[in-house]
Amino acid sequence: MFISYRYGAARRLGEVVRSHLIMSGLAWASLDFAIAPAARAAEPAPPAPVQPVAPSADDPLRGTMLAMHNATRARVGVPPLAWDATLAEAARSYAEDMARTDVFRHSPPSMRRGQGENLWVGSRGAYDYAAMATAWTDEARLFVNQPTPMFSITGHWQDVGHYSQIVWRSTTALGCAMASSASFDYVVCRYGPAGNVIGRTAF
């Protein structure tokens, strides 16, 4: 079962939604829309240069996430993403933080230095990596390429914000990681530069 966690507010798993967590194979996804508008008085410092790394056969998470992201991008005619070691390490650090605390929420923008972020959480061991990525890419059916945040046929940007980050044309790099608590798997993907910029289209 997949339930979209739209707003990215803090939830202490096992307390706020205890009645739902007893269900087999629960999964949530979260996205962050706190992205800088297209026009700002002062721009933040640019992110550090990316460190592209080729996918390896001994890292199934990397291989699956990169392949599914790039297949999704190819369908709309935008260039593929490169795997970035710095983004992957940042994702690993935050995934471990969520696993340690069992609190599912976005990292503060100040920690991301211009990086985009998609989150996913599900019952430990209940989902493979492809299912995790599909929770985001399936939002394509609700997406229309209009200026952010008017890019959902439902009228709710939260319904497509993971997908829009995945296909954002000016995003060039990806890094993902997973960490697990006793009950849950937490996945974090970081993107550089961040997408979902207010007033701009994804591609």
Side-chain angles (χ1 to χ4, degrees):
M1 179 179 183
F2 171 71
I3 299 176
S4 177
Y5 183 32
R6 294 179 174 175
Y7 299 105
R11 301 287 190 210
R12 186 167 298 279
L13 299 179
E15 294 178 4
V16 176
V17 289
R18 186 182 304 276
S19 63
H20 294 293
L21 298 183
I22 62 174
M23 300 171 67
S24 174
L26 177 69
W28 284 0
S30 183
L31 62 108
D32 189 8
F33 199 61
I35 303 299
R40 294 176 58 95
E43 291 295 328
V50 300
Q51 300 178 18
V53 179
S56 63
D58 61 352
D59 188 345
L61 174 64
R62 180 198 301 179
T64 300
M65 287 294 177
L66 191 58
M68 292 190 68
H69 276 69
N70 285 339
T72 301
R73 291 173 66 88
R75 292 186 192 105
V76 297
V78 296
L81 302 176
W83 189 263
D84 180 66
T86 299
L87 293 174
E89 176 58 24
R92 181 200 61 78
S93 178
Y94 191 61
E96 290 178 350
D97 184 63
M98 287 195 293
R100 182 176 61 254
T101 61
D102 265 337
V103 174
F104 181 58
R105 64 182 175 193
H106 276 283
S107 59
S110 60
M111 292 178 58
R112 286 184 239 142
R113 298 177 55 84
Q115 300 169 4
E117 179 176 83
N118 278 347
L119 305 180
W120 182 95
V121 64
S123 300
R124 182 168 180 169
Y127 295 86
D128 61 21
Y129 299 136
M132 297 170 184
T134 298
W136 299 334
T137 60
D138 273 358
E139 294 173 358
R141 61 191 174 85
L142 302 176
F143 176 81
V144 58
N145 194 34
Q146 296 295 321
T148 308
M150 307 302 294
F151 49 24
S152 173
I153 63 173
T154 68
H156 301 288
W157 60 262
Q158 301 94 334
D159 293 337
V160 297
H162 304 98
Y163 172 80
S164 59
Q165 171 60 88
I166 289 171
V167 298
W168 199 265
R169 180 181 291 276
S170 62
T171 296
T172 59
L174 168 72
C176 305
M178 185 178 82
S180 301
S181 68
S183 300
F184 299 100
D185 293 327
Y186 294 88
V187 173
V188 178
C189 283
R190 292 283 181 88
Y191 303 84
N196 290 346
V197 178
I198 293 172
R200 299 182 187 175
T201 59
F203 51 86

